[in-house]
Amino acid sequence: MEATIALAGNPNSGKTTLFNALTGARQHVGNYPGVTVEKKCGTFIFDNKKFNVVDLPGTYSLTAYSIEEMVARDFLSLEKPDMVVNIVDASNLERNLYLSIQFLEMGLPVSIALNMMDVATKKGITIDADALSSLLGVKVVSTVARDGKRGASELIQAIAKEFESRDDSSKTIALKSSRHKSLVNISYGNDIDNALIKIESIISSYNFLTDRYPARWIALKLIENDDQILKFAQEEAKRSNSFDLNQIKEIIGGLEEHLLKTSEATPEAVIADHRYGYIRSLLRLGVVSYHHDQNRLQISDKIDKVLTHRLIGPAVMVAVIYSLYHFTFSYSELPVSWIESLFALFSSTIDNTLPDGMVKSLIISGVIDGVGGVLGFVPLIMFMFFFIAILEDSGYLARVAFMLDRVFRIFGLHGSSVMPFIVSGGIAGGCAVPGIMATRTLKSPKERLATLLTVPFMNCGAKLPVFMLLIAAFFESHRALLMFLITLTAWTGALLAAKLFRSTIIKGESTPFVMELPPYRLPTLRSILIHTWERTWQYIKKAGTVILGISIILWAMMSFPAPPDNIETTPESALKYSVAGRVGSSVEAITQFAGFDWRVNIALLGGFAAKEVVVSTLGTAYSLSDVEIEDDSASLAARLSESPDFRPLTALSLIIFTMFYAPCFVSVVCLAREAGSWKWGLFSVVFNTGFAFTLSVILYQAGSFMGF
């Protein structure tokens, strides 16, 4: 037997922790078809039965306001999983059950995992899982996924038991029938109930979308003005002359007018109120009992009084970020040296084994010096991701977003812009693409566009190898401090650019910001290690595929055409004669004002494809041309530090330029798609590069004037 289980739940409900506990190492990450929302899939085996588990995006509702909600809803309706396991935060039961009720309204086969029961107990909350199960008519299992005390094994047994109780035929019949009726019937008041009956009758008579959803649920979504269902209805009306959408619109229009006159409320608000009313009535039927004053200050609240304090909070945040870099550099130094030695050994072995020629040059200069320069930073990246995973899982990053809202509003941005910045690498090691996608949570188009254009300024994981290379070459004794200053500079540049945009081309008022602060939790080692490995593996995979391919292409551009045999050349002049050398030299007259020579120009041009290529291309360029260094196996950092064309001021200028110049190609494509026009993608390339070059020229010229 094989079954598909969909894990669903609110953000911060412990869903991902439970997913990791269920599937362990048997999981992979991809994207949902047609969108860049992350899709996690895994498996577990129980009693020789295979269960496929899909971790749906965290969502509070099944409306169509965000891409996460639409992705979750489409998966549930189109893929038709055998069971939805709804992960519910037991300490916030009323809010979390709102999503559970919507699953039941959709007619989905649901089991509920009451997670974080330990947190509920500490708050003095007792929940009768059996009573809740009886009232809702679904299986309810108490879990504590965080530490495994009551978690994966109990849930696995409960899931398996559900499937044992029905053979294949009865299961199929049950699932098919559930698609045609809601599993919970809530009264939304006479006005809405009467409108529901009329619209449901029309939908049933035309079989409109009833192969996907229950007729009552479709009627409910039309009354709620759900964009996606409304679009489907309009398409159906165009396709079929018999489907009378106008009749449905008249019913909804009359309902809206009546509710505004009688209660000054919209149908959506009334429906939400009745759902919460239904949930409260459930909880009062012996499901929940409290054993203390609910107004008592909880531990998380006490901690927040310090960590989100107007003065103490920012100081702690600065200390945390600085500690991140100190931790990373201190503990990764030894493994970095091991990897550098390993690649040096590879290089010398190939050098002593193969005869001189293009094959040898390709392997040493194109592959080892190119990709090796990027892979050499794997320990640094891994330690950084490890620290960030702790901050994420503990709930501290949400506090960072909360505190920075005050700052963001000064620059015309929204508090919700903080998370896209952090996801993109606002602290370190993120990626601009998911950061760009995360802007979908912003409801204001102008704030969203301003965030889209400034998110690429963050120090993504692709830029980190460039920074770390230059720091290792010229600022070894101040590594943590300089990385902290680089982070601060990236944020400052992004906010100043946002202020410029919001004052000129994207004018408009800032909208209010409301954010849920999840309770603090002690992260589990298993969860941290899984998150760290997932991100590190993505970095390694990119180095072994995309970066390898680009490195080989750039090696070819730096090797061909070869100078004529009748001309005596040095390795450096031969490189200058190549296609890449000519391109780099052609713009040197301009880039020299920022301190960049023709080799740096080649690397920066390659960085338009992916920022890691800057490191791999510098490795290839200096491997092909630098003949003044006695130790041929010296690391790239050593080569740069000994090169007469490089000095600390040049390194600082290159750091600034790399920080702000055009996003990588994939980010530009994603930005253009999210902004709805390629003109914004092109604007990002031109503006960011001009902004970066201006800052680099100012820095380099000012430093040169002062004698640095």
Side-chain angles (χ1 to χ4, degrees):
M1 173 189 151
E2 188 169 327
T4 299
I5 309 296
L7 286 189
N10 290 183
N12 305 310
S13 62
K15 179 170 60 66
T16 300
T17 302
L18 194 54
F19 173 78
N20 292 334
L22 286 171
T23 60
R26 298 177 300 276
Q27 56 182 254
H28 62 275
V29 180
N31 287 330
Y32 288 93
V35 294
T36 55
V37 175
E38 188 179 81
K39 178 181 182 180
K40 285 188 176 182
C41 301
T43 61
F44 69 85
I45 308 295
F46 185 80
D47 280 351
N48 296 320
K49 300 179 181 67
K50 182 180 179 182
F51 294 88
N52 301 310
V53 185
V54 179
D55 184 13
L56 297 179
T59 175
Y60 293 104
S61 178
L62 287 179
T63 55
Y65 293 133
S66 72
I67 187 64
E68 286 78 11
E69 291 169 344
M70 291 177 65
V71 164
R73 198 169 80 183
D74 286 347
F75 179 86
L76 294 173
S77 62
L78 299 177
E79 300 297 327
K80 296 180 173 58
D82 298 293
M83 180 182 292
V84 179
V85 177
N86 182 203
I87 315 302
V88 168
D89 179 357
S91 64
N92 289 289
L93 192 56
E94 181 178 319
R95 187 199 67 210
N96 279 245
L97 283 178
Y98 189 85
L99 182 62
S100 309
I101 295 301
Q102 289 185 304
F103 288 143
L104 294 173
E105 286 176 328
M106 283 185 72
L108 297 169
V110 179
S111 290
I112 292 177
L114 277 179
N115 198 30
M116 297 192 227
M117 289 293 286
D118 54 336
V119 177
T121 301
K122 288 178 182 177
K123 288 185 175 183
I125 301 172
T126 299
I127 300 173
D128 188 334
D130 292 336
L132 182 61
S133 174
S134 176
L135 290 167
L136 287 178
V138 301
K139 183 69 176 177
V140 178
V141 181
S142 299
T143 65
V144 183
R146 184 180 61 83
D147 56 13
K149 290 179 181 176
R150 283 182 296 164
S153 59
E154 287 79 4
L155 187 58
I156 287 172
Q157 291 175 24
I159 292 171
K161 192 172 182 180
E162 283 290 298
F163 283 99
E164 285 176 4
S165 64
R166 52 187 179 181
D167 57 29
D168 288 342
S169 60
S170 64
K171 182 180 81 169
T172 302
I173 293 170
L175 289 176
K176 284 183 178 179
S177 63
S178 71
R179 299 292 167 184
H180 298 280
K181 64 179 181 180
S182 299
L183 297 179
V184 62
N185 287 309
I186 301 174
S187 172
Y188 300 103
N190 288 334
D191 296 328
I192 291 179
D193 285 350
N194 289 333
L196 268 176
I197 293 170
K198 294 175 184 177
I199 298 172
E200 185 179 355
S201 174
I202 297 171
I203 289 168
S204 298
S205 64
Y206 290 105
N207 291 322
F208 170 62
L209 291 180
T210 51
D211 58 328
R212 291 196 200 178
Y213 309 109
R216 178 181 170 84
W217 186 88
I218 300 168
L220 200 58
K221 291 291 112 181
L222 288 172
I223 290 175
E224 288 181 303
N225 285 312
D226 185 285
D227 288 340
Q228 188 185 47
I229 300 300
L230 203 55
K231 181 182 176 183
F232 288 155
Q234 290 167 346
E235 291 173 352
E236 179 64 21
K238 289 179 182 178
R239 191 166 45 245
S240 171
N241 293 327
S242 60
F243 182 71
D244 192 356
L245 182 59
N246 289 328
Q247 186 181 356
I248 294 176
K249 286 183 175 180
E250 286 177 9
I251 297 171
I252 295 173
L255 174 65
E256 290 175 344
E257 185 178 352
H258 178 72
L259 289 176
L260 283 173
K261 285 181 180 178
T262 57
S263 58
E264 296 184 348
T266 63
E268 302 97 294
V270 174
I271 289 170
D273 285 344
H274 278 81
R275 282 193 186 123
Y276 276 117
Y278 178 80
I279 293 168
R280 292 188 195 103
S281 67
L282 283 176
L283 300 184
R284 287 171 183 163
L285 294 174
V287 174
V288 177
S289 57
Y290 299 93
H291 304 287
H292 63 75
D293 179 5
Q294 294 183 55
N295 295 320
R296 182 175 64 87
L297 196 62
Q298 301 297 328
I299 294 176
S300 286
D301 299 323
K302 292 179 180 178
I303 298 174
D304 279 339
K305 278 191 168 291
V306 176
L307 295 188
T308 62
H309 188 273
R310 297 181 70 90
L311 298 177
I312 301 174
V316 172
M317 180 177 67
V318 169
V320 167
I321 296 173
Y322 182 83
S323 299
L324 183 154
Y325 294 124
H326 180 74
F327 169 88
T328 298
F329 284 111
S330 297
Y331 289 95
S332 64
E333 188 172 357
L334 189 59
V336 166
S337 66
W338 290 343
I339 293 180
E340 287 181 348
S341 299
L342 180 63
F343 278 102
L345 177 62
F346 288 161
S347 183
S348 61
T349 301
I350 297 296
D351 189 32
N352 295 329
T353 303
L354 295 178
D356 292 340
M358 282 299 171
V359 174
K360 180 177 178 178
S361 175
L362 169 62
I363 295 175
I364 294 178
S365 298
V367 178
I368 296 177
D369 291 334
V371 176
V374 177
L375 288 178
F377 293 104
V378 166
L380 275 165
I381 298 295
M382 181 177 289
F383 278 99
M384 197 164 287
F385 285 157
F386 181 84
F387 200 107
I388 291 173
I390 294 174
L391 298 181
E392 286 178 337
D393 290 0
S394 66
Y396 182 70
L397 279 189
R399 272 73 186 178
V400 172
F402 176 79
M403 287 185 290
L404 289 177
D405 170 58
R406 303 165 190 159
V407 178
F408 272 47
R409 296 177 73 79
I410 297 172
F411 294 91
L413 293 178
H414 191 272
S416 295
S417 302
V418 178
M419 290 315 294
F421 273 50
I422 291 176
V423 170
S424 299
I427 292 181
C431 177
V433 172
I436 288 170
M437 303 306 297
T439 61
R440 291 173 172 177
T441 59
L442 278 77
K443 299 297 186 286
S444 166
K446 293 183 177 180
E447 288 170 340
R448 183 168 183 259
L449 182 57
T451 307
L452 277 172
L453 294 174
T454 49
V455 151
F457 286 167
M458 295 296 101
N459 296 330
C460 66
K463 297 176 185 177
L464 290 181
V466 184
F467 300 152
M468 292 169 179
L469 168 67
L470 298 173
I471 289 171
F474 298 99
F475 311 103
E476 181 69 20
S477 57
H478 304 288
R479 296 173 299 176
L481 176 61
L482 194 58
M483 273 303 301
F484 174 75
L485 293 176
I486 288 172
T487 301
L488 192 62
T489 303
W491 281 86
T492 303
L495 291 175
L496 289 175
K499 184 65 174 178
L500 175 64
F501 296 150
R502 296 288 277 132
S503 303
T504 55
I505 58 176
I506 319 175
K507 290 183 179 180
E509 294 294 324
S510 296
T511 56
F513 172 59
V514 179
M515 180 181 182
E516 175 202 358
L517 294 180
Y520 290 99
R521 304 187 189 101
L522 185 64
T524 63
L525 181 60
R526 179 187 181 87
S527 177
I528 292 170
L529 291 178
I530 288 176
H531 288 156
T532 302
W533 173 245
E534 284 177 351
R535 295 171 179 176
T536 305
W537 175 243
Q538 291 295 320
Y539 178 84
I540 295 172
K541 190 163 62 173
K542 188 175 182 182
T545 54
V546 177
I547 307 305
L548 175 61
I550 296 173
S551 295
I552 292 173
I553 292 171
L554 289 171
W555 168 85
M557 292 177 65
M558 287 185 276
S559 300
F560 300 99
D565 294 336
N566 60 348
I567 298 178
E568 185 176 347
T569 60
T570 63
E572 182 168 332
S573 63
L575 178 57
K576 271 193 171 183
Y577 191 83
S578 69
V579 172
R582 293 177 187 181
V583 173
S585 299
S586 67
V587 294
E588 190 175 25
I590 299 173
T591 61
Q592 64 179 342
F593 292 106
F596 306 152
D597 70 356
W598 57 280
R599 282 174 296 198
V600 174
N601 293 342
I602 297 172
L604 291 174
L605 288 172
F608 278 102
K611 292 297 181 286
E612 300 98 330
V613 174
V614 173
V615 173
S616 62
T617 307
L618 283 174
T620 301
Y622 275 84
S623 173
L624 290 171
S625 69
D626 204 345
V627 294
E628 298 180 6
I629 298 176
E630 294 182 2
D631 184 5
D632 290 335
S633 65
S635 68
L636 178 56
R639 289 175 179 270
L640 293 179
S641 64
E642 295 182 32
S643 172
D645 299 320
F646 248 96
R647 53 181 171 144
L649 184 60
T650 308
L652 287 175
S653 178
L654 182 54
I655 286 172
I656 291 295
F657 189 82
T658 303
M659 190 185 306
F660 293 121
Y661 88 110
C664 67
F665 178 73
V666 175
S667 297
V668 172
V669 172
C670 187
L671 190 154
R673 186 171 60 190
E674 290 300 307
S677 172
W678 269 99
K679 73 176 183 181
W680 291 114
L682 180 61
F683 174 84
S684 179
V685 171
V686 174
F687 176 84
N688 291 23
T689 304
F691 181 66
F693 187 68
T694 301
L695 292 179
S696 294
V697 169
I698 292 172
L699 173 66
Y700 187 78
Q701 294 300 321
S704 298
F705 178 77
M706 291 185 287
F708 290 106

